[in-house]
């Protein structure tokens, strides 16, 4: 049975490291060629995780490098307003990264265009980050495969960060998050293999393990809406055997269309796989859904929940994120717990 999950103990401190970007999205479901305005917000994998955790009462810090200008200041203020610790953000460089989003609908896929070359974090040198100081008082570090994909120096900084985290005794989680628009599978495989040696908990989706490490869920047909649990258990087992992970979490997405997805998750630990309940989602915004899942895993693990509770909490948190416009998951702990408890009606709360 699922017990009520209390707030994470205040003694826990989570540090995340990556890039926060300016997000410019077409309003509604308009295409780039249709719109004469773009909606401005901010987002990025590791920042999204920190925001979820902060809203659930965790002491969460986000580390990056940003230029000294008003756009960067707006991003920092947005994070602070959510409760994220921004005290270790470095200032310098020439620009903040940008991504443009055209949200898809029905059978038309969403489209992302990156404009992040030579962003401040991509040009940061590894020695600029004082990791022993940053990790003081922390017990968890989270990163994704997006950050090392930004540049050679970002990859070096990412590897230095995970090594320092392990040296300091932190638990380390990494979402593989392969981005084909940033680097090739061969580049990802070489770098992420080094990084993975220092990771305790690996998080992935249906394609990441294959694109990064060549480990494939044979027979799965994500586009056709077919998920074979045994195949994903085998993927997690192979990842664990290769890198010695303490746990592997995988999101299971059935893409019926851009507007309608099936959603569930798996958590693998100690040779056993645990699967969450299945959700059918009508999607408002899928960007950040995987980050909400990662945050849910971290939160539940910090609270020493059982493997089944970990995957149920993570799947519910990420399911709710798909109903929220923007990268950040503005969902409360009570709302996640209500969905875990079976309240999926969406009825008006009066």
């Amino acid at each position: 049975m699922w017990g009520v999950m209390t707030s994470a103990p205040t003694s826990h401190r989570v540090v995340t490291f990556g890039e926060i970007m300016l997000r410019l999205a077409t309003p509604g479901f308009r295409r780039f060629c249709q719109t004469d305005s773009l909606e401005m917000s901010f987002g990025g994998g590791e920042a999204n995780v920190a925001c979820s955790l902060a809203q659930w009462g965790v002491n969460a810090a986000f580390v990056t490098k940003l230029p000294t200008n008003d756009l960067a200041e707006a991003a920092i203020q947005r994070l602070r307003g959510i409760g994220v610790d921004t005290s270790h953000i470095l200032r310098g460089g020439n620009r903040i990264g940008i991504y443009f989003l055209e949200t898809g609908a029905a059978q038309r896929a969403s489209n992302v265009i990156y404009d992040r070359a030579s962003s401040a974090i991509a040009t940061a040198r590894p020695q600029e980050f004082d990791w022993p100081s940053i990790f003081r008082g922390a017990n968890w570090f989270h990163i994704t495969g997006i950050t090392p994909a930004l540049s050679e120096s970002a990859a070096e900084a990412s590897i230095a960060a995970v090594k320092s985290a392990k040296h300091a005794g932190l638990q380390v989680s990494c979402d593989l998050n392969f981005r084909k628009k940033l680097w090739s599978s061969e580049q990802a495989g070489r770098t992420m293999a080094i990084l993975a040696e220092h990771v305790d908990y690996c998080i992935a989706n249906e394609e990441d393990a294959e694109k990064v490490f060549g480990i494939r869920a044979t027979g799965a047909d994500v586009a056709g809406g077919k998920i074979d649990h045994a195949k994903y258990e085998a993927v997690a087992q192979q990842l664990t055997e290769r890198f010695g992970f303490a746990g592997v979490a995988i999101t299971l997405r059935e893409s019926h269309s851009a507007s309608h997805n099936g959603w569930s998750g798996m958590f693998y630990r100690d040779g056993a796989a645990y699967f969450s309940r299945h959700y059918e989602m009508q999607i408002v915004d899928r960007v950040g859904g995987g980050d909400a899942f990662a945050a849910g895993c971290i939160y539940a693990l910090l609270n020493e929940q059982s493997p089944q509770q970990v995957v149920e909490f993570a799947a519910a948190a990420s399911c709710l994120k798909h109903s929220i416009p923007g990268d950040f998951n503005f969902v409360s702990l009570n709302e996640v717990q209500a969905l875990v408890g079976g309240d999926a009606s969406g009825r008006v709360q009066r």
Side-chain angles (χ1 to χ4, degrees):
M1 294 292 291
W2 174 267
V4 175
M5 186 185 294
T6 58
S7 296
T10 55
S11 60
H12 289 306
R13 180 169 180 266
V14 178
V15 176
T16 73
F17 172 58
E19 179 173 36
I20 186 169
M21 293 176 288
L22 174 66
R23 166 178 156 149
L24 297 175
T26 59
F29 297 96
R30 294 182 185 177
R31 308 215 69 176
F32 289 128
C33 61
Q34 288 181 291
T35 190
D36 55 6
S37 64
L38 294 169
E39 296 176 342
M40 169 182 159
S41 59
F42 298 95
E46 298 89 349
N48 298 344
V49 169
C51 287
S52 284
L53 292 171
Q55 291 177 100
W56 300 334
V58 177
N59 180 351
F62 174 62
V63 180
T64 191
K65 184 175 182 179
L66 287 169
T68 304
N69 62 35
D70 289 345
L71 280 176
E73 193 61 36
I76 292 172
Q77 290 180 12
R78 189 69 54 86
L79 292 171
R80 286 176 179 163
I82 296 170
V84 175
D85 176 4
T86 61
S87 62
H88 293 287
I89 291 180
L90 303 181
R91 305 306 292 270
N94 295 320
R95 65 183 302 251
I96 185 173
I98 304 171
Y99 85 91
F100 299 86
L101 173 66
E102 179 185 85
T103 302
Q107 281 66 47
R108 176 173 59 83
S110 296
N111 184 28
V112 169
I113 298 174
Y114 289 127
D115 178 16
R116 59 202 300 185
S118 300
S119 64
I121 188 64
T123 59
R125 300 184 308 276
Q127 58 269 30
E128 291 185 77
F129 299 96
D130 183 1
W131 293 114
S133 175
I134 293 169
F135 289 142
R136 191 170 296 125
N139 56 351
W140 198 288
F141 177 62
H142 179 74
I143 194 169
T144 77
I146 299 172
T147 304
L150 297 175
S151 67
E152 184 176 344
S153 62
E156 292 172 355
S158 300
I159 293 170
V162 295
K163 287 182 176 179
S164 182
K166 289 311 298 176
H167 181 73
L170 278 67
Q171 293 287 293
V172 176
S173 56
C174 177
D175 191 333
L176 295 182
N177 262 346
F178 177 73
R179 295 290 185 267
K180 65 182 180 181
K181 292 186 178 182
L182 295 179
W183 60 356
S184 68
S185 290
E186 292 74 21
Q187 291 172 312
R190 288 193 299 270
T191 300
M192 295 304 291
I194 298 171
L195 194 146
E197 294 176 1
H198 310 281
V199 170
D200 299 289
Y201 292 94
C202 176
I203 302 164
N205 68 16
E206 67 277 357
E207 295 181 332
D208 289 336
E210 177 186 359
K211 299 297 184 183
V212 177
F213 296 127
I215 299 174
R216 183 171 183 267
T218 57
D221 181 10
V222 177
K226 297 178 181 179
I227 296 292
D228 186 335
H229 284 186
K231 304 298 184 183
Y232 289 96
E233 183 176 352
V235 168
Q237 181 181 359
Q238 291 178 66
L239 285 169
T240 300
E241 290 174 350
R242 180 170 174 183
F243 296 107
F245 296 132
V248 175
I250 298 178
T251 57
L252 307 178
R253 184 188 296 274
E254 301 151 289
S255 295
H256 306 305
S257 72
S259 306
H260 176 206
N261 284 187
W263 185 256
S264 58
M266 183 195 78
F267 184 63
Y268 180 90
R269 187 165 73 183
D270 297 329
Y274 304 83
F275 293 88
S276 75
R277 65 176 291 187
H278 180 269
Y279 299 95
E280 290 293 330
M281 306 182 303
Q282 300 301 316
I283 296 175
V284 172
D285 190 338
R286 65 171 282 176
V287 178
D291 302 320
F293 182 84
C297 287
I298 294 169
Y299 185 89
L301 287 164
L302 284 172
N303 277 274
E304 300 180 350
Q305 297 296 300
S306 71
Q308 188 65 50
Q309 291 171 325
V310 169
V311 72
E312 294 291 358
F313 186 86
S318 54
C319 172
L320 289 170
K321 166 61 195 78
H322 287 77
S323 72
I324 308 294
D327 271 51
F328 300 156
N329 191 17
F330 291 105
V331 170
S332 71
L333 181 59
N334 287 339
E335 288 173 316
V336 180
Q337 291 175 333
L339 183 55
V340 169
D343 185 359
S345 64
R347 291 173 60 87
V348 176
Q349 301 298 306
R350 301 183 188 275

